[in-house]
Amino acid sequence: ELNSTKSKLFDSYSLIADLHHKINSTNFLVRDLVIEITRERKPSLPVDEEADVFGIPPPTASLSDELKLAILPHKLPLGYSPRMASDEIYPPVGAACLRFQKELAQYMTYDIGGECPMDDVFAQKLLLKGCEPLPRGRCHPKSPIGYVEPTPFPDSLWATPPDTSIIWDTYTCKSYQCLIDRLDYGLDQVLQTKPAGSIRIGLDIGGGRLGVALSQQGRESGTSPSSLRLPFFENTLDIVHSMHILSNWIPDAMLEFALYDIYRVLRPGGLFWLDHFFCQGPQLNQTYAPMFDRIGFTKLRWNVGKKVDRGVDKNEWYLSALLEKPMT
């Protein structure tokens, strides 16, 4: 009886998988039909301005071959997969990328197998528009000139890496010392707030400065913190650092979500090191100070200074703070 039941159950799984396959195929047919109806009703619109039922412009024949390979679905070598309920696999590319097809085509322009263009700044602009993750490319990154092996562990924990370890072309600073000098707080000041050796795993949002402080122990994120959930489990990181990234250019609601996510990934007692948060004078007390209080950080350091490089009359301010996630 058990074997008979198992056989019937297996037949049911096969039937369900077949139904999934048919439903999936029907969905694609309906989508294509809606796109075709939209084209007939609005013949004056360029193809790349049309949208499918999900509001995303469909890929067009104008895309380069490399971009098509990177973002369009590919047939599974072994055919239909019941586990995936599909015979295709979709590359992990952000849906918002399809709204910026010209920029995406520029990003994917390179010599296959050659050296990748130095387009870090351009890539960041795409990320900030919500094009995350970016498609993969088939090119090699530029190698640093005079590269040397990293400092061995454990000396690497507190040693400043050699300047030849990265390429500085796209950055204002051209050395690690320049990055260190731009910090409002010294590393020793931050470490003294915690028991010796308890700051082990860190995340630097955007600028790479924490990597200077923690050497190879820090992890740099090249994503936009305003819109992306941080790829870490809850209560895991000892410290999160951000400099010149989190500021008033981010809408208030998105910023609060980002700050809550930083709170989420920090362990109890973990530190949020916020450096050079830019804002207008009225925003400081009316918007941002209450926001940090709502989230629940404990203020270990809170320093505010006027930003005068564009004129005192601008009433622009910098906030630097060392915040702690409560133990309970």
Side-chain angles (χ1 to χ4, degrees):
E1 290 178 356
L2 181 59
N3 289 336
S4 176
T5 302
K6 287 182 178 179
S7 177
K8 292 179 181 179
L9 186 60
F10 179 78
D11 291 341
S12 298
Y13 284 148
S14 299
L15 179 60
I16 292 172
D18 184 58
L19 289 174
H20 275 298
H21 177 56
K22 292 179 179 178
I23 292 172
N24 193 45
S25 299
T26 302
N27 286 339
F28 281 114
L29 289 174
V30 171
R31 189 189 69 171
D32 292 341
L33 180 60
V34 171
I35 293 173
E36 190 63 32
I37 291 174
T38 303
R39 288 175 177 171
E40 291 180 0
R41 289 182 177 179
K42 300 178 181 179
S44 61
L45 283 178
V47 175
D48 60 357
E49 292 184 12
E50 296 176 2
D52 64 13
V53 291
F54 303 105
I56 298 174
T60 69
S62 62
L63 299 181
S64 68
D65 291 340
E66 186 71 4
L67 186 52
K68 288 179 182 178
L69 285 174
I71 69 174
L72 296 186
H74 296 268
K75 292 290 183 181
L76 293 173
L78 302 180
Y80 178 77
S81 168
R83 181 186 295 272
M84 298 174 59
S86 176
D87 62 349
E88 295 178 316
I89 186 170
Y90 285 78
V93 180
C97 293
L98 298 180
R99 296 189 179 276
F100 306 100
Q101 292 187 11
K102 292 181 179 178
E103 291 92 337
L104 199 59
Q106 179 180 340
Y107 173 75
M108 294 297 293
T109 300
Y110 49 78
D111 293 329
I112 298 174
E115 186 177 281
C116 299
M118 294 294 294
D119 56 1
D120 292 355
V121 174
F122 184 72
Q124 285 291 330
K125 291 180 180 178
L126 272 173
L127 291 171
L128 292 174
K129 290 179 177 181
C131 182
E132 167 63 31
L134 288 169
R136 292 170 173 167
R138 295 190 292 172
C139 58
H140 300 124
K142 183 179 179 180
S143 298
I145 298 175
Y147 180 80
V148 296
E149 289 289 329
T151 304
F153 182 86
D155 293 340
S156 62
L157 290 175
W158 311 117
T160 301
D163 289 338
T164 56
S165 62
I166 67 171
I167 298 172
W168 300 91
D169 295 15
T170 58
Y171 305 116
T172 303
C173 277
K174 304 302 178 185
S175 68
Y176 280 105
Q177 188 60 48
C178 173
L179 295 177
I180 294 171
D181 293 341
R182 292 175 66 179
L183 295 170
D184 263 357
Y185 302 150
L187 177 60
D188 291 339
Q189 292 176 295
V190 174
L191 294 179
Q192 286 171 3
T193 64
K194 289 292 171 184
S198 63
I199 303 297
R200 305 154 301 163
I201 305 173
L203 168 69
D204 191 2
I205 298 178
R209 279 82 179 183
L210 187 62
V212 178
L214 299 182
S215 188
Q216 283 81 15
Q217 296 301 303
R219 174 169 181 174
E220 180 180 349
S221 169
T223 60
S224 167
S226 63
S227 59
L228 184 67
R229 177 182 168 91
L230 297 173
F232 299 96
F233 288 114
E234 289 80 1
N235 306 307
T236 54
L237 301 183
D238 298 312
I239 187 169
V240 173
H241 173 262
S242 176
M243 181 177 182
H244 289 304
I245 296 297
L246 298 177
S247 286
N248 68 345
W249 67 270
I250 303 174
D252 293 347
M254 294 182 70
L255 177 63
E256 188 161 348
F257 274 108
L259 294 174
Y260 266 105
D261 205 37
I262 291 172
Y263 187 98
R264 176 185 67 82
V265 300
L266 282 172
R267 65 167 175 82
L271 299 176
F272 176 32
W273 181 0
L274 180 64
D275 213 333
H276 284 79
F277 181 97
F278 170 80
C279 65
Q280 299 289 329
Q283 294 176 305
L284 187 58
N285 293 323
Q286 296 176 10
T287 302
Y288 298 121
M291 185 182 295
F292 282 103
D293 290 338
R294 284 197 303 274
I295 294 167
F297 285 113
T298 301
K299 297 175 183 176
L300 302 182
R301 296 179 67 98
W302 184 273
N303 300 97
V304 176
K306 201 158 190 180
K307 184 175 180 290
V308 297
D309 58 318
R310 299 204 309 160
V312 179
D313 59 309
K314 295 291 184 181
N315 196 19
E316 298 173 334
W317 293 77
Y318 272 135
L319 163 67
S320 290
L322 187 61
L323 309 171
E324 182 183 53
K325 180 176 178 177
M327 293 294 294
T328 58

